[in-house]
Amino acid sequence: MSTTELLPNFLGGKWQSGSGAGTPLFDPVTGAELVRVDATGLDLAGGFAFAREQGGAALRALTYKQRGALLGEVLKVLQAQRDAYYDIATANSGTVKNDSAVDIDGGLFTLGVYARMGETLGDKHYLPDGEAARLGKDPLFQSQHILTPTRGVALFINAFNFPAWGLWEKAAPALLSGVPVIIKPATATAWLTQRMVRDVVDAGILPAGALSVVCGSSAGLLDQLQPFDVVSFTGSADTAAVIRSHPAVTQRSVRVNIEADSVNSALLLPGEAAGSESFDLLAKEVAREMTVKSGQKCTAIRRVFVPEGVYAAAAQAISARLAKTTVGNPRNDAVRMGALVSRTQLNAVREGLDYLKAQTEVLHDGATHALVDADAASCCLGPTLLGTRNAAGSDASDRVHDTEVFGPVATLVAYRDLGHALQLVRRGQGSLVCSLYGSDAQALAKAATELADSHGRVHIISPDVAALHTGHGNVMPQSLHGGPGRAGGGEELGGARALNFYHRRAAIQASTTVLAQLGA
Ligand code: NAP
């Protein structure tokens, strides 16, 4: 009989526990059971209606400026509880402080950006969209597009790797837009999301029904969705396919945003010698991306493309950095990389590694890392660099371009010339991000425009921004997050662009005298 706390859900304006025994959440380093979650028997229909009707109406009654001010208050509440969030992340996600920061402080930073945006948008209830356009010869009758908040709920179904950032990068733009939020975090790490929602609810800042959380099974959630609701999903391509084929989407036209998996890449441009500044910047960034959050970032570098002449040197430079990474219990100050989030993930990473190894060589073997304060029963795993050496061979290997191993794993791939490199990058079928390394501004800009159509973001690291750039894998709220094709086709963040998803666009056709009143 389990004795850990059963986390309550907040739905329909009240805290309520599921009626089942609950699914336990574990410490991935010690194996200890931490808390349990359960959503059995909740009145989902009532909860969704409450959020849609009460929460939505109360939020829409406020202006962007007022809602931004509320987000500012929410931020203060969360900042006051930061230590508690770090403790939960250490215990439940197995992350070292720096990696917990990517999730927790990254989430708070993003929330702050949208809180301040409310001030800029001002005391309005809707947003103009472009200029008015004449509809005929007489300029009196024109068309003006406007954006108004959708009269529905925003259902968020999130992945396990960002329980804090994943909540706020979605909730901040939704709430600023005037749309109530129901969040369903991934079960494995639901605790941090639930705790943040609990703190915000207890502080009594947001109107009733504006923010709800359901932890545990996703069963029945999509069935609740009505035509003006939206669903934003982050997770695997397989679950994304289930969501896309749900009647809410196929029959009721519920708007859906999908952030799925992605085989992101890093590309050292031709002509950059081994040991050059750009070469060193690539080696540094690849090693960092492989080890931050144990490679459990949707944006992490999975494929590393280098000219064939520097393949051996790149293998050595990246491996040397990886060898210095201490792996183990995040509570030990000597540890730089903690655990994978669960045994399921550990097994999935091991399987993925075996699958890739059939077409690659092992350049740095994560199994050689001695674990610090953790044993073989923990979910800790050292970083592994794989490689495919000859450029002709990289054409034949398909697995490296198709397989996202969601852990501290990347593959070095040799290319012949830039055309070949661009062709190989595109074999990822659409990614969240690609980073480019080089010192020739013109060549970098040209490569970036070549790759822009298949990426949500192109991150360029030239020596002049070596100390300034924000990191290949860091998602900044000012820039678009999402990617075409395999990456899910979604768009999040990107400054004010994030608000579009939560608004409906309509053309108002009228006399310019009437249109003038729209801005009043
Ligand atoms: P997942 O297994 O697809 O789960 C994601 C979410 O979907 C979880 O909350 C899960 O709930 C829920 N879910 C599972 N089955 C469902 C169903 N039939 N209907 C509705 N919801 C369902 O993904 P994950 O393992 O948590 O996350 C890892 C993946 O996410 C990786 O592939 C990674 O690349 C991707 N990711 C992408 C981004 C991005 O922004 N593009 C960011 C982070 C992660 P339970 O946990 O309760 O099963």
Side-chain angles (χ1 to χ4, degrees):
M1 180 75 190
S2 216
T3 52
T4 53
E5 182 191 354
L6 180 64
L7 298 180
N9 306 286
F10 191 72
L11 190 66
K14 55 181 189 285
W15 289 104
Q16 35 184 326
S17 296
S19 57
T23 305
L25 276 55
F26 295 100
D27 182 321
V29 178
T30 67
E33 183 179 320
L34 301 167
V35 290
R36 287 168 298 132
V37 294
D38 187 59
T40 315
L42 298 183
D43 173 14
L44 295 179
F48 273 66
F50 183 83
R52 197 179 288 122
E53 285 151 28
Q54 309 241 6
L59 285 170
R60 286 194 306 276
L62 303 172
T63 64
Y64 294 93
K65 188 174 170 180
Q66 288 169 323
R67 292 191 293 259
L70 290 186
L71 293 182
E73 294 302 310
V74 167
L75 178 59
K76 281 186 205 153
V77 168
L78 297 172
Q79 274 163 342
Q81 301 294 332
R82 261 176 92 242
D83 290 351
Y85 305 149
Y86 273 79
D87 289 347
I88 293 175
T90 306
N92 193 193
S93 292
T95 38
V96 295
K97 269 214 170 78
N98 281 346
D99 291 354
S100 302
V102 177
D103 184 31
I104 296 166
D105 293 331
L108 300 198
F109 174 71
T110 303
L111 177 59
V113 167
Y114 284 96
R116 287 192 297 280
M117 196 177 289
E119 182 77 32
T120 318
L121 296 174
D123 272 321
K124 296 198 194 99
H125 291 279
Y126 56 83
L127 299 170
D129 178 36
E131 302 293 317
R134 278 164 65 156
L135 294 174
K137 267 194 190 147
D138 191 320
L140 187 62
F141 191 62
Q142 299 207 11
S143 169
Q144 168 72 57
H145 289 83
I146 61 166
L147 294 164
T148 54
T150 192
R151 288 180 186 241
V153 296
L155 171 65
F156 299 153
I157 301 179
N158 270 2
F160 68 82
N161 56 340
F162 280 106
W165 176 82
L167 164 61
W168 296 112
E169 63 105 12
K170 289 183 199 290
L175 293 169
L176 180 61
S177 298
V179 178
V181 165
I182 298 175
I183 170 101
K184 189 291 202 225
T187 296
T189 57
W191 191 12
L192 181 51
T193 309
Q194 193 269 2
R195 174 60 194 263
M196 286 180 144
V197 172
R198 195 189 92 184
D199 290 341
V200 172
V201 167
D202 286 354
I205 296 165
L206 296 172
L211 182 62
S212 310
V213 62
V214 176
C215 302
S217 166
S218 57
L221 289 175
L222 293 164
D223 299 335
Q224 305 307 324
L225 295 175
Q226 299 292 323
F228 298 106
D229 296 337
V230 300
V231 58
S232 181
F233 169 79
T234 298
S236 65
D238 289 348
T239 312
V242 172
I243 291 174
R244 278 206 176 94
S245 57
H246 191 278
V249 179
T250 57
Q251 290 167 25
R252 299 197 284 281
S253 304
V254 165
R255 188 182 280 170
V256 55
N257 191 75
I258 304 277
E259 301 288 347
D261 57 15
S262 167
V263 194
N264 311 296
S265 44
L267 166 61
L268 180 67
L269 288 200
E272 301 294 341
S276 64
E277 246 181 306
S278 296
F279 176 94
D280 289 345
L281 286 168
L282 169 106
K284 184 177 173 192
E285 194 66 7
V286 169
R288 193 158 71 114
E289 281 292 311
M290 287 176 68
T291 52
V292 169
K293 285 178 74 57
S294 299
Q296 300 169 109
K297 266 170 44 248
C298 52
T299 50
I301 297 170
R302 308 291 176 197
R303 301 176 296 155
V304 186
F305 298 99
V306 295
E308 51 191 339
V310 303
Y311 175 89
Q316 202 181 22
I318 300 166
S319 298
R321 286 179 176 273
L322 294 177
K324 286 191 208 142
T325 308
T326 42
V327 184
N329 192 326
R331 295 164 185 90
N332 186 314
D333 287 341
V335 168
R336 291 286 158 270
M337 188 173 100
L340 289 165
V341 78
S342 65
R343 191 134 286 275
T344 311
Q345 283 308 311
L346 179 67
N347 292 339
V349 169
R350 285 194 171 135
E351 266 173 37
L353 261 173
D354 287 344
Y355 184 71
L356 287 182
K357 277 180 188 169
Q359 292 187 342
T360 55
E361 57 178 328
V362 178
L363 300 172
H364 177 82
D365 187 355
T368 59
H369 286 249
L371 302 182
V372 180
D373 276 358
D375 56 28
S378 74
C379 302
C380 298
L381 183 73
T384 294
L385 182 68
L386 304 171
T388 162
R389 178 182 292 273
N390 65 63
S394 53
D395 286 328
S397 320
D398 51 354
R399 295 185 178 181
V400 61
H401 307 294
D402 297 342
T403 313
E404 182 204 47
V405 179
F406 208 62
V409 179
T411 306
L412 186 66
V413 181
Y415 70 79
R416 291 187 296 273
D417 51 38
L418 184 62
H420 186 219
L422 298 178
Q423 185 194 328
L424 290 175
V425 170
R426 287 201 190 94
R427 282 178 64 181
Q429 299 289 318
S431 300
L432 295 171
V433 54
C434 170
S435 51
L436 305 177
Y437 305 76
S439 49
D440 178 340
Q442 200 176 12
L444 286 165
K446 192 160 186 292
T449 47
E450 282 281 335
L451 292 170
D453 63 309
S454 52
H455 294 82
R457 182 162 60 85
V458 180
H459 182 81
I460 302 177
I461 305 185
S462 47
D464 55 334
V465 293
L468 305 175
H469 78 92
T470 47
H472 163 108
N474 276 349
V475 175
M476 301 301 289
Q478 297 89 340
S479 296
L480 189 71
H481 176 59
R486 167 172 187 154
E491 284 197 355
E492 289 183 331
L493 302 174
R497 290 171 189 83
L499 275 55
N500 286 337
F501 184 66
Y502 303 100
H503 284 76
R504 299 282 161 183
R505 180 180 285 112
I508 310 291
Q509 303 183 158
S511 148
T512 49
T513 319
V514 176
L515 294 182
Q517 292 304 309
L518 286 176

